[in-house]
Amino acid sequence: MQEDVISATKGLKFEDFKQIVLNDFKLINESRQTSLLGRKEVLTGKAKFGIFGDGKELAQVAMAKVFQNGDFRSGYYRDQTFMMAIGALSIQNYFAGLYGHTDISHDPMSAGRQMGGHFGTHSLNEDGTFKNLVNQKNSSADISPTAGQMPRLLGLAYASHFYKKNEVLQKGKFLNFSNKGNEVAFGTIGDASTSEGLFWETINAAGVLQVPMLMSVWDDGHGISVPKKYQTTKESISEILKGFQRENGGNGFEILKTKGWDYPHLCETYEKAITICREQHVPVLVHVEEVTQPQGHSTSGSHERYKDAARLQFETDFDCLKKMREWILENAIATDSELNKIEEDSKIAVRDAKTAAWSEYLKPIKSEVEVVSSFFNELANGSYADVINAIKTELNSIKEPIRKDILVAVKKVLRLIKSENSPARTQLTNWLNQSNAENTERYSSHLYSESIQKISNISPVNAEYHDDKLVDGRELLRENFDFILNKYPETLIFGEDSGKIGGVNQGLEGLQLKYGEHRVFDTGIREATIMGQAIGLAMRGLRPIAEIQYLDYLLYALQIMSDDLATLQWRTKGMQKSPVIIRTRGHRLEGVWHSGSPMAMIVSACRGINVCVPRNMTQAAGFYNLLLEADEPALVIEPLNGYRLKEKLPSNIGEYKIQLGLPEILNEGSDVTLVTYGSSIRIAQDAIKQLNEHGVSVELIDIQTLLPFDINHSIVDSIKKTNRVVFFDEDVPGGGTAYMMQKVLEEQGGYKYLDSKPITIASKAHRPAYGSDGDYFSKPSAEDVFDVIYNLMLEVNPGKFVKIY
Ligand SMILES: Cc1ncc(C[n+]2csc(CCOP(=O)(O)OP(=O)(O)O)c2C)c(N)n1
């Protein structure tokens, strides 16, 4: 037998060693059979799409050996074998996910919300509170965008660093999240996805920060059909990463190479990697070469279209199952017949698990068909007997029905009998209502927190004032952050220039000195991974406040906010959360990239994240205070031109809290309702003064938050009084104003009370031009607001108002 098998197994009795090896052989066979049968399930129409981990099995078995309780994975859709190896995924679970089973006990990965092959463990109890994450093996929930797992991985690793540095976090409730920062964050990625900017940004940041991150690249030579020569310089990720290699005690990565079919070398490599990573708390990259993909990329096509004969032959010869089998036989660890039996048993086990998953998936749907059919039977005594019977027969003839089939049938019948008045019809209507509620829960719950800590459960506290002391807005914020950092040891604030100088607008001035470099700190210019750093930290029980220096640069982070942060609770059906607070500043300063206000873009991309648009720093601070008591992600956009404006300093700074979704009436009026937010408020106030002088009375409403939006539908009450409404902001036409208009006129029914057409005031469609005049002619001004509202009143009452220009 080879001497270099696995160091951990050295000293084991042969029988015990053999058992380990055969268990691994069994697992890779079961995983392979799962991939093979899974593909068939898609091709025969039972599942919609399949993407499998065949070819990557052996490397994942080796990686799983060094993955401990408390560790986290951030990976992608090829990792089924790893998930099986850590005990987080059964074969039956896998098939339930493939079919889209909406019961979380069957598909624990996403309750049918994500396509199969997207993995994750449960960080939360059913009530939305965190579990003890130190006592379990953890995987953050996968997303499909290639390299989208990378930014979050940085945060998961950085959390260990933070827990290690912070002694206050090494006791009490924090022991549920970390054992003195001993945990490693494991990343996985395909070789082609390393072409993405997110990969490089994360690798660089991990090298700078020296975090315990064990990164694996599964290198199968292709990204779908595109070979490495079009993906990677020198066609080798480890080759081009050489500059990141640690040298002479400096920072950087440890970079190791191995092969995806070489069991003993894989095991040794991962042991070496984890020892460096866990003991020295530094990042390690394992480049796993010569990995195969026997069935091609996914069920959408076959790999014969793009792999040449030599590559196809290589894939057969170096298939990791074949190679492990050969190695076992060469080293006389087991006999051919023992291996045959494992292979045969695997086929049976997978077939049985697949059959069980399919029958469990169909069972509740079939029982719904039965219930509905019995209602149809009762209704088939009436005037439409023949048609209803035909609908029932058609429904029952579907061998493998889905819920859509049932609803189509039920609605057809209810339309037929719409004029009948029978108990059976009431029964069927009730069934439909109940089904609608259940399907909403199945597919639409948990976009936001449903836990006891959800935002709407946190009680607001009014700001109080003992005197009229005025301070700059930035000073008010700094006082508030001081209070927060003192009160919550799990809070950390970071971003570009946030540390040493305390932010470009000085809202954190002096706080690094007071709380230390690990609580308030500078980062590189890397918005996407600032966001990812925050996401991973918050998934591990910390409360990051991540700064994006200007709203205009949020675009760099928006993809990860939208794809990862915004979807996290929803895509796990409430089994993971990441209550990140994103702090930025925007709307209006100078020039194209410091004056943007792309609010509709943000609101459309970030359903699942709260979006606060305070008009001043008093409001902003009140939002931060509330958000820190809640468990939901939020973006707070401070008004960029407000840091040097004077505000009254509340005596209960740090303690008052502003509830989200509650608009505030800033000016009562009777002629027109003007709805706006953020920096536009001051422009509106200016215009209102001028309008007053010309006999127009305006009711000014500050919506305060775009998500949630006016949860009590208070704006419509104002429209009931004024019968006219104007929506105003600095986004492009049809942007934020159109969003507000839809909310108020359609959702709140505001259209019923209008006597004039609804109006929106927005910026020009182009970006804001430079200089004061550039701003004046690009963004809405007080004059614009005056003109629009005055002309509206002129149209209403030409007797009272005269045309000015
Ligand atoms: C941002 C983004 N672009 C494109 C895709 C479509 N896509 C899915 S997987 C894939 C190839 C990934 O190849 P690789 O990283 O080598 O992983 P492998 O599938 O080979 O394991 C592509 C292009 C995607 N999911 N996300």
Side-chain angles (χ1 to χ4, degrees):
M1 190 189 315
Q2 281 187 5
E3 270 307 299
D4 60 348
V5 181
I6 314 167
S7 60
T9 59
K10 280 182 187 154
L12 280 182
K13 281 197 269 172
F14 174 76
E15 274 312 313
D16 295 337
F17 168 67
K18 174 177 175 178
Q19 202 49 54
I20 292 171
V21 172
L22 292 191
N23 277 347
D24 290 345
F25 187 69
K26 174 170 174 264
L27 180 59
I28 65 171
N29 272 280
E30 287 178 347
S31 180
R32 176 64 60 87
Q33 288 305 321
T34 302
S35 301
L36 298 176
L37 258 192
R39 186 177 175 90
K40 282 198 187 134
E41 291 303 274
V42 178
L43 299 182
T44 57
K46 281 189 184 152
K48 292 215 75 172
F49 180 76
I51 190 152
F52 305 102
D54 45 313
K56 321 280 189 290
E57 295 94 345
L58 205 52
Q60 293 178 25
V61 162
M63 182 171 100
K65 285 184 191 295
V66 299
F67 192 82
Q68 292 183 358
N69 280 355
D71 289 344
F72 261 89
R73 161 189 172 275
S74 182
Y76 78 118
Y77 48 79
R78 298 282 178 217
D79 294 345
Q80 71 199 42
T81 317
F82 174 81
M83 295 300 288
M84 290 172 178
I86 64 165
L89 178 74
S90 70
I91 302 167
Q92 190 170 330
N93 291 155
Y94 189 92
F95 282 97
L98 200 61
Y99 302 136
H101 200 142
T102 53
D103 183 336
I104 198 143
S105 66
H106 289 271
D107 173 21
M109 304 296 122
S110 80
R113 290 180 180 190
Q114 287 226 73
M115 57 170 60
H118 290 68
F119 308 109
T121 51
H122 294 189
S123 297
L124 306 182
N125 298 304
E126 268 185 27
D127 65 2
T129 54
F130 271 110
K131 292 183 170 186
N132 182 324
L133 304 183
V134 174
N135 288 344
Q136 63 177 35
K137 297 190 163 81
N138 304 289
S139 169
S140 58
D142 295 353
I143 57 176
S144 296
T146 46
Q149 69 274 34
M150 295 296 299
R152 163 180 9 109
L153 172 65
L154 180 74
L156 293 169
Y158 193 78
S160 290
H161 180 84
F162 189 69
Y163 279 115
K164 195 179 186 115
K165 287 265 178 268
N166 236 316
E167 275 179 24
V168 237
L169 303 183
Q170 295 175 4
K171 54 185 184 232
K173 64 175 182 177
F174 300 110
L175 294 176
N176 284 346
F177 295 107
S178 179
N179 172 19
K180 299 183 179 162
N182 190 35
E183 306 77 23
V184 169
F186 286 62
T188 68
I189 194 166
D191 58 296
S193 299
T194 64
S195 309
E196 294 279 11
L198 292 180
F199 174 80
W200 291 95
E201 193 176 311
T202 305
I203 291 293
N204 178 51
V208 168
L209 297 171
Q210 291 293 280
V211 287
M213 177 174 121
L214 204 172
M215 183 73 227
S216 296
V217 182
W218 311 141
D219 187 347
D220 60 16
H222 286 79
I224 310 187
S225 65
V226 182
K228 263 196 296 195
K229 71 172 171 179
Y230 298 122
Q231 302 281 1
T232 312
T233 309
K234 300 185 179 183
E235 298 188 41
S236 167
I237 192 67
S238 52
E239 190 60 30
I240 53 169
L241 281 172
K242 271 187 177 158
F244 284 81
Q245 174 66 47
R246 301 189 300 167
E247 278 167 358
N248 312 323
N251 72 6
F253 271 72
E254 197 57 45
I255 299 174
L256 306 172
K257 278 210 294 190
T258 182
K259 295 186 193 319
W261 48 265
D262 188 341
Y263 178 67
H265 195 256
L266 277 164
C267 294
E268 264 177 28
T269 305
Y270 274 101
E271 271 191 32
K272 190 170 166 197
I274 199 67
T275 306
I276 299 168
C277 193
R278 213 183 291 280
E279 289 178 5
Q280 300 176 38
H281 246 229
V282 293
V284 178
L285 183 130
V286 179
H287 182 192
V288 185
E289 298 183 292
E290 300 188 21
V291 175
T292 66
Q293 199 169 86
Q295 298 192 107
H297 174 74
S298 70
T299 48
S300 323
S302 78
H303 60 159
E304 284 81 8
R305 287 177 304 160
Y306 50 81
K307 288 181 190 162
D308 60 22
R311 175 73 200 185
L312 289 169
Q313 190 57 49
F314 166 83
E315 299 228 347
T316 308
D317 294 345
F318 286 84
D319 186 305
C320 62
L321 267 66
K322 179 172 175 286
K323 294 298 273 182
M324 184 174 186
R325 189 180 216 290
E326 285 168 9
W327 174 82
I328 293 172
L329 293 175
E330 272 165 23
N331 290 282
I333 298 166
T335 61
D336 199 35
S337 66
E338 282 174 296
L339 299 185
N340 286 344
K341 177 153 174 32
I342 291 174
E343 287 162 349
E344 284 313 305
D345 287 351
S346 302
K347 284 185 192 156
I348 295 165
V350 172
R351 197 194 56 211
D352 290 352
K354 179 214 77 170
T355 308
W358 181 244
S359 118
E360 289 297 322
Y361 166 75
L362 271 188
K363 214 192 281 174
I365 302 177
K366 286 207 157 157
S367 84
E368 283 182 35
V369 172
E370 271 173 36
V371 171
V372 162
S373 300
S374 74
F375 293 149
F376 289 175
N377 282 341
E378 287 178 42
L379 286 161
N381 298 325
S383 32
Y384 296 99
D386 289 349
V387 194
I388 293 173
N389 273 326
I391 294 170
K392 189 189 82 181
T393 308
E394 195 187 334
L395 176 62
N396 281 274
S397 70
I398 304 173
K399 249 179 71 199
E400 282 146 6
I402 58 172
R403 288 198 167 86
K404 177 186 167 193
D405 299 321
I406 305 172
L407 285 172
V408 167
V410 166
K411 288 192 171 178
K412 265 191 208 163
V413 169
L414 282 172
R415 282 175 205 152
L416 277 177
I417 59 167
K418 61 180 184 287
S419 313
E420 280 181 18
N421 209 352
S422 65
R425 180 180 157 233
T426 311
Q427 250 182 342
L428 191 57
T429 310
N430 290 345
W431 181 92
L432 178 65
N433 291 338
Q434 172 73 17
S435 166
N436 284 339
E438 284 169 7
N439 287 319
T440 301
E441 199 278 329
R442 275 187 193 109
Y443 291 106
S444 304
S445 73
H446 294 93
L447 182 57
Y448 295 90
S449 172
E450 296 186 7
S451 82
I452 192 161
Q453 273 182 285
K454 66 181 174 189
I455 272 169
S456 54
N457 273 357
I458 314 293
S459 305
V461 172
N462 288 335
E464 288 167 13
Y465 298 91
H466 289 158
D467 53 35
D468 287 338
K469 185 176 174 197
L470 288 175
V471 293
D472 283 355
R474 63 144 197 124
E475 291 173 299
L476 188 151
L477 272 180
R478 188 194 56 204
E479 295 296 304
N480 202 72
F481 284 128
D482 190 359
F483 191 98
I484 285 172
L485 285 159
N486 190 38
K487 179 172 175 189
Y488 300 101
E490 64 270 42
T491 306
L492 59 166
I493 310 181
F494 53 91
E496 296 152 18
D497 302 291
S498 307
K500 192 161 185 167
I501 64 166
V504 281
N505 299 89
Q506 303 263 277
L508 300 166
E509 189 192 11
L511 296 182
Q512 184 180 74
L513 209 59
K514 184 163 176 186
Y515 293 95
E517 267 189 54
H518 59 290
R519 299 284 308 282
V520 182
F521 54 92
D522 292 322
T523 64
I525 306 173
R526 48 175 182 80
E527 286 76 11
T529 50
I530 289 174
M531 194 61 63
Q533 199 168 342
I535 295 171
L537 285 163
M539 290 179 93
R540 293 190 57 193
L542 297 164
R543 293 310 308 264
I545 300 178
E547 278 212 27
I548 299 296
Q549 199 159 61
Y550 294 103
L551 179 60
D552 304 72
Y553 307 127
L554 190 75
L555 256 175
Y556 277 66
L558 192 64
Q559 181 262 326
I560 227 55
M561 279 173 75
S562 180
D563 284 331
D564 198 359
L565 184 60
T567 64
L568 181 67
Q569 284 241 7
W570 175 82
R571 73 181 192 264
T572 59
K573 205 179 183 194
M575 286 302 143
Q576 294 187 8
K577 64 180 172 184
S578 179
V580 167
I581 298 176
I582 305 148
R583 176 183 184 221
T584 189
R585 48 195 69 90
H587 303 314
R588 196 174 276 228
L589 188 70
E590 196 59 69
V592 179
W593 283 284
H594 296 84
S595 291
S597 190
M599 302 313 300
M601 176 183 79
I602 293 167
V603 164
S604 297
C606 295
R607 301 293 161 96
I609 299 176
N610 297 281
V611 177
C612 306
V613 280
R615 63 180 177 271
N616 57 32
M617 305 312 165
T618 309
Q619 307 301 108
F623 288 135
Y624 290 125
N625 298 338
L626 186 116
L627 290 167
L628 278 161
E629 286 191 23
D631 68 351
E632 301 189 25
L635 167 68
V636 180
I637 302 169
E638 295 165 11
L640 184 46
N641 51 8
Y643 291 101
R644 305 272 161 189
L645 297 179
K646 297 287 181 202
E647 295 183 36
K648 259 168 59 174
L649 183 68
S651 53
N652 57 346
I653 193 85
E655 287 170 349
Y656 70 93
K657 290 172 273 180
I658 300 178
Q659 185 50 268
L660 275 55
L662 301 182
E664 197 178 340
I665 298 179
L666 297 180
N667 193 67
E668 294 203 6
S670 53
D671 292 329
V672 183
T673 300
L674 178 59
V675 182
T676 186
Y677 58 87
S679 296
S680 298
I681 292 285
R682 261 182 284 116
I683 293 164
Q685 285 169 329
D686 186 1
I688 287 169
K689 232 187 281 158
Q690 299 175 34
L691 282 159
N692 243 334
E693 289 162 12
H694 290 265
V696 182
S697 163
V698 178
E699 180 135 309
L700 175 63
I701 300 184
D702 177 1
I703 59 155
Q704 301 212 74
T705 60
L706 281 159
L707 289 173
F709 186 90
D710 189 11
I711 50 177
N712 297 328
H713 292 191
S714 65
I715 297 173
V716 74
D717 290 335
S718 173
I719 300 177
K720 280 180 194 165
K721 188 171 72 172
T722 62
N723 309 116
R724 274 172 274 282
V725 66
V726 174
F727 299 95
F728 161 40
D729 74 4
E730 303 181 25
D731 199 354
V732 291
T737 48
Y739 164 77
M740 295 193 283
M741 187 152 82
Q742 184 267 333
K743 284 282 182 192
V744 175
L745 299 193
E746 185 188 330
E747 203 173 292
Q748 301 187 6
Y751 74 95
K752 284 184 272 188
Y753 309 100
L754 289 182
D755 288 340
S756 300
K757 70 169 183 178
I759 297 180
T760 62
I761 304 175
S763 281
K764 291 281 175 3
H766 56 73
R767 301 287 185 98
Y770 174 66
S772 299
D773 271 351
D775 175 89
Y776 189 76
F777 292 106
S778 302
K779 292 244 178 180
S781 65
E783 284 68 39
D784 294 329
V785 176
F786 179 96
D787 289 350
V788 167
I789 294 181
Y790 184 88
N791 288 337
L792 172 66
M793 295 314 295
L794 173 66
E795 195 181 287
V796 174
N797 193 347
K800 180 174 171 194
F801 298 99
V802 287
K803 195 167 186 314
I804 305 177
Y805 335 102

